[in-house]
Amino acid sequence: MRVNRILLSSVLVVVALVIQVSVLARLHLPGAVPDLMLLTVLGLALVYGHVGGALVGFGAGLLADLAPPADHAAGRYALVLCVIGYLAGLVKPETGRLKSATGPMVVVVAAAVGSTLLYAGVGALVGDTAARHVGLGSLLFTAALYDLLLAPFVVPGVMALARRAENDPLAESGSAAKATDISSGWLSGGTGLKIGSQRNGLRVKAVRARMARAGRIKGVKRL
């Protein structure tokens, strides 16, 4: 990974871990805990691809394994986030723009459910049966619900920062309208609104004007 990717990923992962441990974990919500680390890894994987997503996921998971008050074997969460980051990177948008909320929502739900199942499965292999006592069904439902509610406030921002650090043309300061494309799938997909519709309308008007001008020119030539 390039230096800018390593620096940005490290900062975002550390901030996500601090918020998750000091704030989210202390909310005492029923069932699972909102997984800010998972959402951060997803946002970076959707920009960096499967290789970068796997590396970021492994580093983030290992940091979470070693940070207090972790009560599980080191490397367990690193394996989970490594696999999730790799799989999320495989569905990286080709243009980097999220035009619909359906795809990102499916990715978040699948990642929340998959990470919970994988974490419980690895725990069962090492003799940790805590998921059975809490109820795996309750954990799956609440994990998907909490992450889905938190995702619109995390994933688009992480993607925007990652693209800006990559010096991507879509993230240039002079193209603020293009930057909204990254989060349009989250903020407008469920409302039916289309961000950029005015721009498309201007393009249609320009095409119509050119067609009218071409018709006038042909009429003059015939005369």
Side-chain angles (χ1 to χ4, degrees), residues 35-136:
D35 200 340
L36 188 58
M37 295 281 286
L38 174 65
L39 297 177
T40 302
V41 171
L42 289 179
L44 293 173
L46 290 174
V47 176
Y48 296 157
H50 59 283
V51 176
L55 293 176
V56 172
F58 178 80
L62 187 60
L63 183 62
D65 287 331
L66 300 177
D71 56 354
H72 54 267
R76 181 174 168 185
Y77 199 46
L79 173 62
V80 172
L81 287 188
C82 179
V83 174
I84 296 299
Y86 179 85
L87 295 178
L90 293 176
V91 296
K92 168 188 174 183
E94 295 182 0
T95 61
R97 300 178 183 179
L98 302 178
K99 298 181 178 180
S100 172
T102 304
M105 288 170 65
V106 171
V107 171
V108 171
V109 173
V113 173
S115 62
T116 303
L117 289 175
L118 185 57
Y119 187 84
V122 175
L125 294 177
V126 298
D128 184 2
T129 59
R132 296 180 182 178
H133 300 295
V134 176
L136 185 58

Side-chain angles (χ1 to χ4, degrees), residues 2 11-12 42-43 52 56 78 82 103 126 139 144 155 168 172 184 194 202:
R2 288 180 286 187
V11 172
L12 291 178
L42 289 179
V56 172
C82 179
V126 298
L139 285 177
V155 178
D168 194 288
E172 292 295 331
S184 62
K194 293 183 178 180
L202 292 176

Side-chain angles (χ1 to χ4, degrees), residues 1 5 17 28 36 52 67 80 90 145 159 205 216:
M1 294 181 67
R5 289 188 177 186
L17 179 61
H28 301 293
L36 188 58
V80 172
L90 293 176
L145 178 62
M159 291 184 65
K205 290 181 180 180
R216 288 196 297 269

